[in-house]
Amino acid sequence: MLGSSRSRHRLTTALAGFGLLVTGAALQVGTAAAPAHAATTYRVLFDDGHAEEAGNADWIISTSKPDPLSQDSSPSSETDWTGALSSWGVALQKTGSYSMKTATSALTYGGSSTTDLSNFDALVLPEPNTLFTTAEKTAIMNFVNNGGGLFMISDHTGADRNSDGYDAVEIFNDLMTNNSVDSTDPFGFSVDTLDISSGYPAAISDSSNVVLNGSFGTVTKSLIADGTTATLKPSDNSNVKGLVYRSGYSGNTGAFFATSAFGSGRVAFWGDSSPIDDGTGQSGNTLYDGWNDTGATNAALALNATAWLTGASSGSGGGGGGGGGGTCTSAQLLGNPGFESGNTTWTASSGVITNSSSEAARTGSYKAWLDGYGSAHTDTLSQSVTIPSGCSATLSFYLHIDTAETTTSTAYDKLTVTAGSTTLATYSNLNAASGYVLKSFDVSSLAGTTATIKFSGVEGSTLQTSFVVDDTALNVS
């Protein structure tokens, strides 16, 4: 990024002049209103504040808002609640383990409203048709980062039901690329600009996956009736996983249903609203019963995913975080996670844990600063941690990289992140960017073991690259 070599810990005068460092206050993710997980009741908020009823859509669980119980407090069939998503809502209600509300105004996080996101374990966005405001995007991203579940249900490109110039594809991509929390592909996927007319996408084979094989049934296929898919980018977020694929596709392309993790939370994506349509709703709407389509298992997919997003089901869903299951006690396991206690708990090379003013901490005064000498050098930072059996586990940290390298093709300086014997990611001078970026990884496979979390920075012989780490966490649930 910068064109001259600089000595270790002698950086910020030039950087500040170019505006490349962002202070902790500017990027800090709110933590005061983390989702409170109830012991036996899992709370789901369905959004209806972004034109989810525009045109022929009817994406509500009930016409009674915010509380569907005001329409019928003990529904026995989906017609006891009015809406094209009433089958979904009634199925959850009948378990006795879920509480649902509908949001009809702006989404908030940390406020006093009864539909504030801090009161819920999962948020369902059923084909929104108006852009989220800047404040709403911050609220959604903070909610997920702090442990909430996010269910993103798209539709095909061009499905602009309220004719405001935006469809769900554009709205979801805007959420992921234009927010104040993390706009660098935070979930590890983007929504494709496609209109796929029909098909029955098939589920992958994974008997351990609780979204595909959960308490609500086994998922074999879903339904496309004018929908889209997602392109996965595991290099940006290793938690992303495709569960259901368009015919002829696999791997990182053609994912019709995918899951991921962000911070301590969980994310699910579905490429069409047709599978959640139960064929009934308000008068005047023409609906199709995708929920009970005999060629698919859409109900099981929607309900299993809801259970996973809220934490009602334990086990793997393809991403970590976001509520637990079983007997795991939620906790943050790393000692001195923000380095504010100085050179304690962590094992680090000399000078790595520092309060030097030459690199700004994201929060507080201290951070871990690896490399930055402009000469051949290796720095390490590590901590051993025991992850209890039966827990989902997510490692997260904020990373800032700046460099004097000018190449756009050669990785001269590298930072490798490992958990036990597993390499989670490798970053280099090619990843340099302004400010801190949140990174998160599912490390649930290490449950029941003691593993070493390690950062290893190796710098070449000329031109510095600094890898600055702050606000680490290893959350289990």
Side-chain angles (χ1 to χ4, degrees):
M1 292 175 70
L2 298 183
S4 60
S5 177
R6 296 162 292 173
S7 299
R8 166 72 161 162
H9 304 336
R10 304 289 189 272
L11 300 173
T12 56
T13 300
L15 286 172
F18 285 97
L20 293 179
L21 284 180
V22 179
T23 65
L27 281 178
Q28 184 173 2
V29 173
T31 57
H37 292 276
T40 57
T41 301
Y42 300 93
R43 300 151 306 164
V44 185
L45 181 66
F46 286 82
D47 183 47
D48 187 32
H50 297 86
E52 282 90 353
E53 296 179 71
N56 218 35
D58 198 46
W59 310 139
I60 56 173
I61 55 174
S62 169
T63 51
S64 177
K65 309 165 194 175
D67 190 357
L69 295 180
S70 296
Q71 182 173 11
D72 190 320
S73 60
S74 299
S76 59
S77 68
E78 63 93 9
T79 54
D80 291 333
W81 289 356
T82 303
L85 306 188
S86 60
S87 286
W88 190 349
V90 170
L92 293 175
Q93 182 66 31
K94 288 170 68 175
T95 69
S97 297
Y98 293 86
S99 172
M100 288 159 284
K101 293 287 191 295
T102 298
T104 58
S105 57
L107 296 169
T108 61
Y109 181 56
S112 59
S113 167
T114 58
T115 56
D116 186 84
L117 289 171
S118 62
N119 298 319
F120 297 90
D121 300 296
L123 168 66
V124 180
L125 301 176
E127 197 195 331
N129 252 249
T130 59
L131 286 170
F132 298 106
T133 66
T134 299
E136 286 181 309
K137 287 183 286 188
T138 299
I140 293 168
M141 297 298 292
N142 283 344
F143 168 69
V144 180
N145 183 59
N146 290 332
L150 177 65
F151 206 153
M152 304 164 64
I153 301 169
S154 187
D155 202 358
H156 62 90
T157 188
D160 179 9
R161 297 180 184 271
N162 61 341
S163 300
D164 70 343
Y166 296 99
D167 55 41
V169 173
E170 296 166 310
I171 291 164
F172 283 138
N173 283 333
D174 177 73
L175 169 65
M176 295 184 288
T177 62
N178 184 27
N179 68 80
S180 65
V181 178
D182 187 343
S183 293
T184 57
D185 193 22
F187 306 151
F189 66 85
S190 59
V191 185
D192 300 327
T193 306
L194 294 174
D195 184 351
I196 306 165
S197 61
S198 62
Y200 284 96
I204 65 170
S205 177
D206 186 349
S207 60
S208 67
N209 189 287
V210 297
V211 176
L212 299 179
N213 300 276
S215 60
F216 291 99
T218 298
V219 177
T220 57
K221 290 185 177 182
S222 188
L223 164 74
I224 295 180
D226 288 310
T228 190
T229 54
T231 296
L232 311 186
K233 304 171 187 177
S235 61
D236 293 339
N237 186 328
S238 63
N239 298 292
V240 71
K241 183 174 183 178
L243 301 187
V244 179
Y245 282 87
R246 180 186 178 189
S247 178
Y249 291 79
S250 63
N252 295 334
T253 59
F256 185 60
F257 195 102
T259 57
S260 189
F262 176 69
S264 300
R266 293 172 169 172
V267 179
F269 164 81
W270 209 340
D272 195 358
S273 54
S274 299
I276 58 171
D277 186 343
D278 65 19
T280 68
Q282 300 171 82
S283 176
N285 288 331
T286 302
L287 302 168
Y288 173 77
D289 192 359
W291 185 266
N292 296 303
D293 189 295
T294 57
T297 47
N298 295 315
L301 184 52
L303 296 167
N304 285 343
T306 306
W308 177 71
L309 289 168
T310 59
S313 64
S314 59
S316 171
T327 59
C328 184
T329 300
S330 296
Q332 196 290 112
L333 302 181
L334 291 178
N336 192 20
F339 308 107
E340 294 306 312
S341 297
N343 197 21
T344 64
T345 310
W346 296 89
T347 300
S349 301
S350 176
V352 165
I353 297 178
T354 177
N355 64 349
S356 167
S357 60
S358 297
E359 278 282 8
R362 177 179 173 270
T363 58
S365 300
Y366 282 82
K367 66 275 169 181
W369 181 357
L370 294 87
D371 297 332
Y373 289 89
S375 60
H377 187 80
T378 298
D379 276 330
T380 60
L381 172 75
S382 64
Q383 182 177 150
S384 292
V385 60
T386 299
I387 303 175
S389 298
C391 287
S392 296
T394 301
L395 172 69
S396 64
F397 56 91
Y398 283 84
L399 176 64
H400 170 60
I401 304 173
D402 68 57
T403 186
E405 301 284 1
T406 58
T407 177
T408 59
S409 59
T410 305
Y412 290 114
D413 314 309
K414 297 181 180 180
L415 176 73
T416 302
V417 185
T418 58
S421 60
T422 301
T423 298
L424 300 177
T426 299
Y427 307 100
S428 75
N429 49 281
L430 299 178
N431 302 118
S434 60
Y436 282 88
V437 177
L438 178 64
K439 308 293 182 181
S440 65
F441 303 90
D442 180 13
V443 292
S444 301
S445 61
L446 298 176
T449 70
T450 297
T452 298
I453 306 301
K454 186 174 183 180
F455 300 82
S456 301
V458 179
E459 191 172 21
S461 58
T462 60
L463 299 180
Q464 75 84 27
T465 299
S466 294
F467 302 99
V468 191
V469 177
D470 204 358
D471 296 330
T472 67
L474 203 165
N475 290 302
V476 297
S477 57

